Amino acid sequence: MLVNNAGVQHRQPLVDTSAADWHRVLDTNLTSAFLLAREAAPAMVAAGRGKVLNVGSVQTSLARPGLSAYSASKGGLAMLTRVMCAEWAASGVQVNALAPGYVETEPTRPLRDDPAFDTWIRGRTPAGRWGTPGDLVGAAVFLVSRAADFVSGQVLTVDGGLTAVV
Protein backbone atom coordinates (compact mmCIF):
# COMPACT_ATOMS: atom_id res chain seq x y z
CA MET A 1 0.00 0.00 0.00
CA LEU A 2 1.12 3.52 -0.78
CA VAL A 3 -0.45 6.69 0.62
CA ASN A 4 0.63 9.88 -1.13
CA ASN A 5 -0.17 12.65 1.34
CA ALA A 6 2.30 15.43 0.62
CA GLY A 7 0.98 18.92 0.31
CA VAL A 8 2.10 22.54 0.35
CA GLN A 9 0.31 25.71 -0.64
CA HIS A 10 1.42 29.03 -2.02
CA ARG A 11 -1.16 31.79 -1.61
CA GLN A 12 -0.65 34.48 -4.20
CA PRO A 13 -2.43 35.75 -7.31
CA LEU A 14 -1.49 33.78 -10.41
CA VAL A 15 0.13 36.77 -12.13
CA ASP A 16 2.41 37.27 -9.10
CA THR A 17 3.38 33.59 -8.69
CA SER A 18 6.97 32.93 -9.67
CA ALA A 19 7.93 29.89 -11.70
CA ALA A 20 9.95 28.69 -8.71
CA ASP A 21 6.93 28.82 -6.40
CA TRP A 22 4.77 27.13 -9.05
CA HIS A 23 7.28 24.29 -9.46
CA ARG A 24 7.76 23.88 -5.69
CA VAL A 25 4.03 23.31 -5.21
CA LEU A 26 3.65 21.02 -8.23
CA ASP A 27 6.77 19.05 -7.36
CA THR A 28 5.57 18.50 -3.79
CA ASN A 29 1.88 17.85 -4.46
CA LEU A 30 1.90 16.09 -7.83
CA THR A 31 5.35 15.02 -9.00
CA SER A 32 6.12 13.31 -5.68
CA ALA A 33 2.97 11.16 -6.03
CA PHE A 34 4.01 10.21 -9.57
CA LEU A 35 7.55 9.30 -8.51
CA LEU A 36 6.54 7.27 -5.45
CA ALA A 37 3.77 5.40 -7.25
CA ARG A 38 6.06 4.68 -10.19
CA GLU A 39 8.50 3.03 -7.76
CA ALA A 40 5.85 1.12 -5.75
CA ALA A 41 3.69 -0.10 -8.63
CA PRO A 42 5.99 -2.77 -10.12
CA ALA A 43 5.97 -4.78 -6.86
CA MET A 44 2.19 -4.39 -6.53
CA VAL A 45 1.63 -5.42 -10.14
CA ALA A 46 3.93 -8.44 -9.69
CA ALA A 47 2.02 -9.43 -6.54
CA GLY A 48 -1.32 -9.05 -8.33
CA ARG A 49 -2.68 -6.69 -5.69
CA GLY A 50 -2.05 -3.35 -4.09
CA LYS A 51 -3.57 -0.06 -3.08
CA VAL A 52 -2.54 3.49 -3.83
CA LEU A 53 -4.32 6.31 -2.04
CA ASN A 54 -3.59 9.82 -3.28
CA VAL A 55 -4.69 12.62 -0.97
CA GLY A 56 -6.13 15.55 -2.83
CA SER A 57 -8.34 18.36 -1.61
CA VAL A 58 -11.64 20.02 -2.44
CA GLN A 59 -9.36 22.05 -4.70
CA THR A 60 -9.14 18.83 -6.74
CA SER A 61 -12.35 20.04 -8.40
CA LEU A 62 -12.80 23.63 -7.17
CA ALA A 63 -10.72 26.74 -7.65
CA ARG A 64 -10.12 29.64 -5.29
CA PRO A 65 -8.39 32.89 -6.13
CA GLY A 66 -4.80 32.88 -4.93
CA LEU A 67 -4.38 29.09 -5.02
CA SER A 68 -3.44 28.58 -8.66
CA ALA A 69 -0.52 26.17 -8.19
CA TYR A 70 -2.24 24.27 -5.38
CA SER A 71 -5.49 23.86 -7.33
CA ALA A 72 -3.63 22.83 -10.48
CA SER A 73 -1.58 20.28 -8.55
CA LYS A 74 -4.59 18.74 -6.81
CA GLY A 75 -6.61 18.69 -10.06
CA GLY A 76 -3.65 16.98 -11.70
CA LEU A 77 -3.57 14.46 -8.86
CA ALA A 78 -7.17 13.48 -9.65
CA MET A 79 -6.24 12.81 -13.27
CA LEU A 80 -3.05 11.00 -12.26
CA THR A 81 -5.24 8.78 -10.06
CA ARG A 82 -7.38 7.91 -13.09
CA VAL A 83 -4.34 7.21 -15.28
CA MET A 84 -2.85 4.92 -12.63
CA CYS A 85 -6.19 3.09 -12.48
CA ALA A 86 -6.27 2.73 -16.25
CA GLU A 87 -2.78 1.25 -16.27
CA TRP A 88 -2.79 -0.93 -13.14
CA ALA A 89 -6.37 -2.03 -12.33
CA ALA A 90 -6.17 -5.10 -14.56
CA SER A 91 -3.19 -6.20 -12.46
CA GLY A 92 -5.18 -6.03 -9.21
CA VAL A 93 -3.98 -2.61 -8.08
CA GLN A 94 -6.64 -0.13 -6.99
CA VAL A 95 -5.81 3.56 -7.11
CA ASN A 96 -8.13 6.12 -5.57
CA ALA A 97 -7.97 9.60 -4.15
CA LEU A 98 -9.36 11.15 -1.01
CA ALA A 99 -10.37 14.81 -1.31
CA PRO A 100 -10.77 16.43 2.11
CA GLY A 101 -12.65 19.65 2.58
CA TYR A 102 -11.56 22.30 5.02
CA VAL A 103 -10.07 20.43 7.99
CA GLU A 104 -8.86 21.70 11.35
CA THR A 105 -5.09 21.30 11.07
CA GLU A 106 -2.14 23.46 12.00
CA PRO A 107 -1.73 24.74 8.40
CA THR A 108 -5.40 25.87 8.36
CA ARG A 109 -5.10 27.73 11.70
CA PRO A 110 -4.67 31.15 10.02
CA LEU A 111 -7.85 30.54 8.02
CA ARG A 112 -9.75 29.42 11.11
CA ASP A 113 -8.45 32.40 13.05
CA ASP A 114 -9.75 34.78 10.37
CA PRO A 115 -13.34 35.48 11.52
CA ALA A 116 -14.59 36.33 8.02
CA PHE A 117 -13.14 33.18 6.44
CA ASP A 118 -14.23 30.96 9.31
CA THR A 119 -17.78 32.31 9.05
CA TRP A 120 -17.72 31.85 5.27
CA ILE A 121 -16.60 28.19 5.53
CA ARG A 122 -19.13 27.36 8.24
CA GLY A 123 -21.90 29.05 6.24
CA ARG A 124 -20.86 27.45 2.94
CA THR A 125 -20.56 23.92 4.39
CA PRO A 126 -23.93 22.17 4.92
CA ALA A 127 -22.51 20.40 8.00
CA GLY A 128 -21.89 23.87 9.43
CA ARG A 129 -18.38 23.16 10.68
CA TRP A 130 -14.79 22.49 9.76
CA GLY A 131 -13.80 18.86 9.38
CA THR A 132 -11.45 17.10 11.73
CA PRO A 133 -8.69 14.65 10.85
CA GLY A 134 -10.87 11.94 12.38
CA ASP A 135 -13.57 12.67 9.80
CA LEU A 136 -11.23 11.33 7.10
CA VAL A 137 -10.36 8.04 8.78
CA GLY A 138 -13.37 5.98 7.69
CA ALA A 139 -13.07 6.98 4.03
CA ALA A 140 -9.31 6.34 3.99
CA VAL A 141 -9.65 2.94 5.69
CA PHE A 142 -12.40 1.97 3.24
CA LEU A 143 -10.35 2.93 0.17
CA VAL A 144 -7.33 0.86 1.25
CA SER A 145 -9.40 -2.11 2.48
CA ARG A 146 -10.56 -5.24 0.69
CA ALA A 147 -14.05 -3.76 0.75
CA ALA A 148 -12.83 -1.41 -2.00
CA ASP A 149 -11.27 -4.07 -4.24
CA PHE A 150 -13.63 -3.10 -7.09
CA VAL A 151 -13.30 0.65 -6.52
CA SER A 152 -10.59 2.28 -8.59
CA GLY A 153 -9.96 5.60 -10.27
CA GLN A 154 -12.32 7.42 -7.93
CA VAL A 155 -12.02 10.63 -5.95
CA LEU A 156 -13.94 10.38 -2.67
CA THR A 157 -14.70 13.84 -1.34
CA VAL A 158 -15.12 14.20 2.43
CA ASP A 159 -16.14 17.81 2.96
CA GLY A 160 -19.33 18.06 5.00
CA GLY A 161 -21.26 18.71 1.79
CA LEU A 162 -19.25 21.75 0.68
CA THR A 163 -18.94 20.66 -2.96
CA ALA A 164 -22.53 19.37 -3.14
CA VAL A 165 -24.19 22.78 -2.98
CA VAL A 166 -24.03 26.08 -4.83
Side-chain angles (χ1 to χ4, degrees):
M1 172 180 32
L2 170 64
V3 177
N4 285 312
N5 189 31
V8 296
Q9 284 189 0
H10 180 79
R11 296 176 184 277
Q12 191 172 36
L14 179 65
V15 298
D16 298 325
T17 300
S18 70
D21 286 329
W22 174 269
H23 287 289
R24 179 180 59 84
V25 173
L26 266 73
D27 285 349
T28 302
N29 298 357
L30 182 58
T31 304
S32 66
F34 156 71
L35 293 171
L36 288 167
R38 185 185 68 179
E39 293 302 312
M44 293 181 193
V45 167
R49 66 176 292 104
K51 304 280 184 173
V52 177
L53 180 60
N54 295 320
V55 180
S57 161
V58 291
Q59 265 67 56
T60 297
S61 57
L62 300 175
R64 276 198 32 238
L67 291 177
S68 60
Y70 183 79
S71 297
S73 70
K74 294 302 185 174
L77 191 60
M79 188 53 67
L80 181 61
T81 298
R82 292 180 182 107
V83 169
M84 290 174 180
C85 165
E87 293 193 9
W88 303 332
S91 298
V93 178
Q94 291 82 50
V95 184
N96 291 290
L98 182 64
Y102 287 86
V103 176
E104 294 177 353
T105 62
E106 194 55 39
T108 63
R109 178 168 302 284
L111 298 174
R112 291 182 284 122
D113 288 346
D114 176 341
F117 193 84
D118 180 67
T119 299
W120 180 75
I121 286 296
R122 290 175 187 276
R124 172 83 172 76
T125 304
R129 65 177 179 85
W130 288 71
T132 67
D135 291 326
L136 306 175
V137 171
V141 168
F142 165 69
L143 289 173
V144 299
S145 75
R146 300 231 33 185
D149 279 355
F150 200 59
V151 178
S152 198
Q154 302 305 305
V155 177
L156 179 55
T157 303
V158 180
D159 66 356
L162 178 79
T163 56
V165 297
V166 175

